[in-house]
Amino acid sequence: MNVIMKSIISLLVALGLSVTISAYAGCPVFVPTTTTYNGVTYAAPVVANATKLQVGNNSYITSATGTLATSGNGTSMTTTLGVGPPGQALPAFTPTTFPTAGATSKTLTNGGAMAPGNYTTVKADNSVTVTLAAGDYFINEFLVGNNFVLNVSSGPVRLYIKTKFQAGNQSTFNVGGNTANLQIYVYDGAQVQFGDANNGNSNVDFNGLIYAPGSNTKVQFGNNNIIQGAVLTGGTVDLGNNTGVIFDTATQNAIGSILVESSVGVCHYELSMPSTDISCIATPVTIKACADTSSPCTNASTLVNGKTATLAASAGTLGATTVTFNALGEATTTLAHPAAGNGAVVTVTLSGEQVAGGQARQCCPDGVGCVAANSCSVTLSTAGFIFSAAANGVEATLPTQTAGTSSGSYYLRAVKTNTSTMACQAALTGTQTVNMSYQCNNPATCYAANLMAVNGASATTIARNNNGSTASSSGVSLTFDANGNAPFTFAYGDVGQVTLFANKPAGGTLLTSLTGSTNPFVVKPAGFAISNIKRTSDNVVNPGAVDAAGAAFAKAGEAFTATVTAVGSTGNPVFSFGREASPAGVTLTSNLVSPAAGNNPALANNVIDGASFVNGAATLTNLSWGEVGIITMTADLTGGNYLGTGLSATGVSGNVGRFYPDHFDTTVTGPMACAGLTFTTACPAGGLAYAGQPFTTIVTAKNAAGVTTQNYSGSYAKPVTLSAWNASGGAVAAGGAMASNTIVAAAFASGVATAITPSYQFPVTPTAPADVFIRAVETAGDGVTSLRTSPAVSVEGGFKAVSGRVLVSNAYGSELLPLSLTAVTQYFDGTSWLTNTADSMTPLTLAANYNVVDDAGTVVGLTVPAPTGVVTVANGVLAITLGLPSGGTTGKTSINPAAPAYLPLTTGTATFGVYSGNAVFIYRGRHGR
C-alpha cells in the first residue's frame, strides 16, 4: 500500500487554479487517471480514505476496456480495481482557505444565470435550469431542489464548496458537455450529497470532477446514478445501489487534461551533469529542488535544506551516494571514473528524496535541455579540454558574469589520461591555436553578431554555434604550460545563458582530438539606461530642471515617454535582453529630488513587460507622475532575479521635470444659503452673496486624475488671480468687477489656499440675480487654471449674486404709545425687491438713542430708548420698537441703522402724533350726479 500511496502522491501533487499562488510557487500538474497496484496500472476514477469507501449493490465502474469493478449484493466493491487505493494523502488545492470578502446570497431562477464570484448561499427550488459561464464560484452552501439542471456554456466552471453541496433527485450536471468543464472543489469538513443518499432512488446524472482532499469530507450519491468522470477524496465516498461510474477513454482524457495547482514546496527535481567529460577528471553531479515548473530551474525550493536524496551510478565511484541539500536547494557530489575508455557511458540515477517532488524528475545534461527522466548519463573520453578556475584545477562552475565586464582568470586545461596511473597529464604544451566558440542557450536565438571575446586587450572575437561543433568556431592563440594549463579571460557583450566550447582536432603529435565545454552560465545586464524622456502629447523634451525655478516639463499626471535600454558595463546595449524564454520585465520607480521631504507618489504605468524589449530597448509612452516637483527614475529588473541567478540590474535617470499642476479646482462658500429664494435658475452649491459682499474661495491644485498635488506650496506655488464667469464662460454682467481677488503664492499649503475677502460687484444697482463662477488662474507661472477643456467640465465653485439693500419702514402712531417699525434686508429678483428670508447674518448697527423733533424744531428724547449697538437680522427682518416721546410731544425721527457697505440703506421715518388712517374708505356723492 505504501508503494501505491507514493505513486499517487507523485502524480497528484498540486491542485491549482488561477485564484492565487502560494508563497512557494505553484506546481501545476494534470489530474491522474490511473493508479498502479502490484505492478499493474488501472484506471482510477474513484479514490477514498482507508475504510471510508462504501459501494452499494450492483454498482460498477467501466473503462474503455470494459468493466473494471462491480459489487455484488451485500458486498463492497474491491479497492484494487478502479476504486482506490484508499488511505492516500491528497494535497490541498489553492486557495487553501475559503475567501469570505464580498459574500452575497443568490436564488437561482429557471433559465437564469449566475456570475463567477463569492456567495454565502446559492439556492434553487424544484425544476430549475441554469447555465454557468467559465469562472470560479466560491459558495458556502449550494442547496438546490429536485429536477435541477446545471449546464455549462463554456469552461471550466469551478465550484468551490465550503460547507455543503446538496442537490435533489433527478438532477443533472453538465450532461452532454465536456467532462473537464465542470470541476467541484470541496473544503475539508464539507458534505456533498446528490439525491436522497441511500434512502431512495436519486437518479442523478453527473459529468465532471469532484475533488475533496480533506479527510473530513464526505461525498454521497443515492441509488440509480450515472457518474461520468472522477471522484477523488481524502475522506468518505458513499455510492448507492445501481450506480455506474463511466471512465471510458474520452472521459479519462478529459479528466487528465485538468491542470491543478498546489502550494507544494518542491515541484520537481533536476539532475544535472556534463554530457561529455574526461575520464581522469571527476565529473560534477548536481541535484536541484525546484519550486515551480521552470526548466532549467530558476526558482529553487529552500524547503529541502538539510534533507537528503539518494544517487546510484552504473560505473565508477560517487563521492557520496546520499547527498544533502543546502539552503539554496542544491546538493552536489562527484563521479570518479578513471578507468573508463573512450566512448564509455556512465549513468547516474536519482531516487529517495526525503521531500517528494510533485512532478517527474528531470535530467538536464550540461544544465540545459531538460527532459523527464530519473537518470542522466555522461559520455567519457580519455583526453579533452577542461575549463578550470586554477592551474591544474578541477572542472570549474562558471558563475554569473556581467555583460561587457572581463571575467576573472580561468584556465583551459588540455589533458589526457595516463595509461599507467590513470591520472591527468598534459595533452598540449606551448603556444597552440584552439578553436573556441559559444552557444546561446537562453535565449536560444541571440543577437546575430558575435559578441564573445577571449583574452582581454588582445581579444579574439569567437563565433557562435548551435551545438559546439567545429563548423562555427574561431582560432584563438593560447599558451599551455608544461602541465597543459593555458590562462585566458573572456567578456561577453550581450546577456543570457551561454556555454563556451573549445576543440582541437587530432594532428601532429596530438593523436586524439580534444573537446570541452563550460557549464551553461548566465551573463546579466550591467544596468539600465533611461533616455528619450519627453512629453508624449507633443514630444517636448524633458528639461531636467534642478529646482522650482527650472523650466516646466509636464503636468502632474500627464503622460510622458521614456526609453529603457539594458546595457553592459561599457554602456552599450545588450541586444538579447527580452529574447529569453521567460523574459524579465523592468519596473520604474520615482525618486523625489525636489521639494525636499515632499510627497512622492508611485509612477503610473511603470512596468515594462520583458517581451516588449527589442534589441535590448523598450519604450513606455504612458508614464505619469501625479505630483508637483522634480524626480529621477530608477529602472530595476522586475523581481530582481535574472534567469534564476538571484541577481538584478538597475539604472537611474537624470532629473525629470519640473512637473506642475494639471489644473485648479475652486470651491466657493456663500455667506448664506439659497433656501426659500425664487430665482429663475437654481442656486449653486456655494450659496448666496450680495453683490459686493465678501465670500470665501478655496483653490486646490490637482493632478490629471483629480488628486491634490500636495507639493504645490513654497517655491513651487505661484500667485493666483480670481475672476468671475457665467456658466457658459462669459462675463457675468457687462462692467462687473472682482475685488480682493489675488491669492499670493505663500497662501498655498499642501496644494490648498483659502481666500476670505474676494467679492463681486454688479456694474449697476439693481441688477437681476446672476450665477457667478470663480475661476482661478496663475498670475505668473505655468498658466495653470481651473478652466479645463470647457466650462462644463471645469470644477469651479459658484454662488448666486444678488443686488441687495436695507429698507427701513415708515411708522405712524400716537405720541402716547411706543412705536414699532422694521429694518428689512432685501434682494432684487429682476422685477421687484423681496425680503431675503435666507438672511439671518447681516449686522445692523442702531444709534445710541433716537430723538423726536417737534414741529417747532425742538428735540425731545424718548422715554424708552430704542435698541442700540449691533443687531443681526433674523430671516431678513429686524424689529425696532421706539418708546414714546417725553411729555407726550408730537414729532418725528429718522431711523437709519448703519449697514454693511454692500447694502445701500433706505432710511425710514417714525412719526408720533399722526395716524396713517384707515385703508378702507366709503365714497359718498349726491344722488343723481
Side-chain angles (χ1 to χ4, degrees):
M1 191 62 68
N2 288 337
V3 173
I4 298 172
M5 289 173 63
K6 291 179 180 178
S7 174
I8 294 296
I9 291 171
S10 67
L11 288 168
L12 264 175
V13 167
L15 277 181
L17 307 155
S18 57
V19 179
T20 186
I21 295 178
S22 70
Y24 302 104
C27 181
V29 295
F30 291 104
V31 170
T33 59
T34 61
T35 186
T36 301
Y37 182 73
N38 288 339
V40 180
T41 299
Y42 301 100
V46 180
V47 170
N49 201 347
T51 72
K52 292 187 177 180
L53 173 65
Q54 299 294 326
V55 181
N57 297 328
N58 302 315
S59 293
Y60 60 91
I61 295 176
T62 64
S63 73
T65 60
T67 301
L68 293 175
T70 61
S71 64
N73 292 332
T75 65
S76 291
M77 190 179 296
T78 174
T79 60
T80 59
L81 296 173
V83 181
Q88 66 190 41
L90 301 178
F93 53 82
T94 56
T96 55
T97 58
F98 186 86
T100 57
T104 58
S105 293
K106 174 74 174 180
T107 298
L108 300 174
T109 57
N110 192 41
M114 179 171 63
N118 188 295
Y119 298 89
T120 301
T121 304
V122 174
K123 294 182 178 181
D125 293 330
N126 295 332
S127 302
V128 170
T129 297
V130 297
T131 301
L132 300 185
D136 297 332
Y137 301 77
F138 292 90
I139 303 169
N140 181 41
E141 290 188 330
F142 185 91
L143 308 172
V144 296
N146 298 327
N147 300 297
F148 177 78
V149 178
L150 188 151
N151 297 319
V152 175
S153 64
S154 60
V157 168
R158 293 178 287 253
L159 305 182
Y160 294 81
I161 305 301
K162 180 183 180 184
T163 303
K164 181 182 290 186
F165 181 103
Q166 184 171 335
N169 299 326
Q170 289 83 44
S171 296
T172 64
F173 294 82
N174 191 33
V175 171
N178 187 321
T179 302
N181 280 347
L182 178 59
Q183 304 165 24
I184 299 178
Y185 296 94
V186 183
Y187 286 88
D188 194 27
Q191 305 295 306
V192 177
Q193 181 176 317
F194 291 88
D196 290 335
N198 286 328
N199 297 321
N201 295 328
S202 300
N203 297 308
V204 170
D205 200 339
F206 178 85
N207 180 27
L209 167 70
I210 299 174
Y211 190 87
S215 61
N216 298 309
T217 57
K218 186 174 185 179
V219 179
Q220 292 179 286
F221 280 84
N223 302 324
N224 304 310
N225 309 290
I226 295 295
I227 302 170
Q228 184 169 345
V231 180
L232 308 176
T233 80
T236 298
V237 174
D238 191 345
L239 304 180
N241 299 327
N242 305 307
T243 294
V245 180
I246 309 301
F247 208 50
D248 56 20
T249 300
T251 303
Q252 290 185 49
N253 291 340
I255 292 295
S257 71
I258 298 174
L259 269 175
V260 292
E261 181 179 280
S262 178
S263 54
V264 296
V266 179
C267 188
H268 66 276
Y269 286 90
E270 289 181 356
L271 175 62
S272 179
M273 53 193 294
S275 58
T276 61
D277 209 349
I278 304 167
S279 58
C280 65
I281 298 293
T283 298
V285 179
T286 301
I287 306 96
K288 183 179 288 187
C290 304
D292 57 25
T293 57
S294 58
S295 178
C297 183
T298 58
N299 183 21
S301 172
T302 59
L303 295 183
V304 295
N305 185 23
K307 302 297 183 180
T308 63
T310 301
L311 294 174
S314 62
T317 303
L318 287 165
T321 56
T322 300
V323 292
T324 302
F325 291 92
N326 60 24
L328 299 178
E330 290 186 350
T332 61
T333 189
T334 58
L335 172 65
H337 33 58
N342 278 324
V345 176
V346 180
T347 299
V348 175
T349 302
L350 171 65
S351 65
E353 302 92 329
Q354 282 187 315
V355 179
Q359 294 182 346
R361 303 177 185 96
Q362 296 185 14
C363 168
C364 301
D366 302 313
V368 294
C370 302
V371 295
N374 297 329
S375 303
C376 280
S377 298
V378 56
T379 301
L380 299 168
S381 60
T382 57
F385 285 120
I386 298 170
F387 288 85
S388 176
N392 304 318
V394 297
E395 186 83 22
T397 299
L398 270 60
T400 300
Q401 306 290 314
T402 299
T405 299
S406 180
S407 70
S409 294
Y410 288 93
Y411 291 84
L412 182 65
R413 295 184 61 195
V415 298
K416 61 183 179 181
T417 303
N418 186 290
T419 56
S420 298
T421 65
M422 299 300 172
C424 291
Q425 66 183 53
L428 292 175
T429 59
T431 300
Q432 303 281 344
T433 297
V434 176
N435 296 319
M436 296 191 73
S437 60
Y438 70 98
Q439 175 181 336
C440 296
N441 304 313
N442 187 9
T445 303
C446 54
Y447 190 63
N450 295 326
L451 296 174
M452 182 74 76
V454 175
N455 273 348
S458 58
T460 299
T461 300
I462 62 176
R464 290 179 300 111
N465 67 67
N466 294 326
N467 55 16
S469 68
T470 58
S472 299
S473 58
S474 305
V476 179
S477 179
L478 297 174
T479 300
F480 293 85
D481 64 16
N483 294 317
N485 300 292
F488 75 98
T489 61
F490 65 92
Y492 188 43
D494 205 352
V495 294
Q497 186 189 58
V498 296
T499 302
L500 282 175
F501 293 90
N503 70 78
K504 188 172 180 63
T509 60
L510 184 63
L511 302 179
T512 304
S513 63
L514 305 177
T515 62
S517 63
T518 67
N519 60 291
F521 60 93
V522 173
V523 183
K524 76 175 192 69
F528 297 102
I530 305 174
S531 62
N532 190 36
I533 302 173
K534 59 186 179 182
R535 199 163 60 204
T536 303
S537 61
D538 53 11
N539 294 324
V540 168
V541 176
N542 166 45
V546 298
D547 56 29
F553 170 47
K555 297 176 181 178
E558 182 179 9
F560 66 93
T561 295
T563 298
V564 176
T565 305
V567 296
S569 57
T570 60
N572 295 324
V574 286
F575 299 112
S576 293
F577 185 83
R579 300 187 182 198
E580 301 88 348
S582 297
V586 173
T587 300
L588 293 171
T589 55
S590 58
N591 317 295
L592 186 64
V593 174
S594 180
N599 184 39
N600 180 24
L603 288 165
N605 306 311
N606 63 326
V607 177
I608 308 176
D609 183 81
S612 300
F613 282 84
V614 178
N615 291 333
T619 298
L620 286 173
T621 60
N622 59 345
L623 277 167
S624 65
W625 187 60
E627 256 297 352
V628 167
I630 300 166
I631 60 172
T632 60
M633 294 187 295
T634 297
D636 289 300
L637 190 74
T638 304
N641 184 17
Y642 185 68
L643 292 183
T645 63
L647 300 176
S648 188
T650 190
V652 181
S653 72
N655 285 4
V656 183
R658 178 179 51 90
F659 293 90
Y660 57 96
D662 178 79
H663 65 277
F664 292 126
D665 284 351
T666 64
T667 302
V668 173
T669 303
M672 287 168 279
C674 291
L677 302 183
T678 56
F679 296 134
T680 56
T681 58
C683 182
L688 165 72
Y690 295 114
Q693 181 181 16
F695 53 85
T696 297
T697 300
I698 301 171
V699 178
T700 306
K702 297 289 186 76
N703 64 20
V707 178
T708 301
T709 52
Q710 299 177 39
N711 295 346
Y712 192 75
S713 58
S715 59
Y716 282 92
K718 311 296 181 185
V720 168
T721 298
L722 304 178
S723 56
W725 301 84
N726 63 24
S728 300
V732 177
M738 290 282 296
S740 300
N741 60 330
T742 299
I743 300 177
V744 297
F748 282 91
S750 298
V752 180
T754 301
I756 61 173
T757 59
S759 63
Y760 174 78
Q761 182 62 60
F762 286 131
V764 296
T765 301
T767 297
D771 291 328
V772 178
F773 296 90
I774 302 303
R775 182 159 300 158
V777 180
E778 281 186 345
T779 308
D782 303 304
V784 181
T785 175
S786 55
L787 175 65
R788 304 183 76 176
T789 55
S790 73
V793 299
S794 303
V795 181
E796 295 177 330
F799 61 94
K800 182 73 70 176
V802 294
S803 293
R805 72 177 185 182
V806 175
L807 174 66
V808 181
S809 62
N810 294 321
Y812 306 89
S814 168
E815 72 276 12
L816 302 178
L817 297 171
L819 188 61
S820 296
L821 67 164
T822 58
V824 181
T825 53
Q826 294 185 316
Y827 67 91
F828 185 67
D829 71 350
T831 302
S832 57
W833 291 95
L834 302 175
T835 299
N836 186 359
T837 57
D839 186 354
S840 293
M841 63 166 293
T842 297
L844 298 177
T845 304
L846 300 175
N849 199 355
Y850 289 95
N851 295 314
V852 175
V853 179
D854 62 15
D855 293 338
T858 302
V859 177
V860 179
L862 301 176
T863 57
V864 179
T868 60
V870 179
V871 185
T872 301
V873 299
N875 299 321
V877 177
L878 174 63
I880 303 172
T881 300
L882 303 178
L884 57 94
S886 299
T889 303
T890 62
K892 59 185 177 181
T893 182
S894 295
I895 307 301
N896 53 352
Y902 51 83
L903 290 177
L905 175 68
T906 299
T907 302
T909 300
T911 304
F912 290 90
V914 176
Y915 298 91
S916 61
N918 196 320
V920 179
F921 296 92
I922 299 175
Y923 291 90
R924 293 181 298 175
R926 281 180 289 200
H927 183 72
R929 287 190 64 178

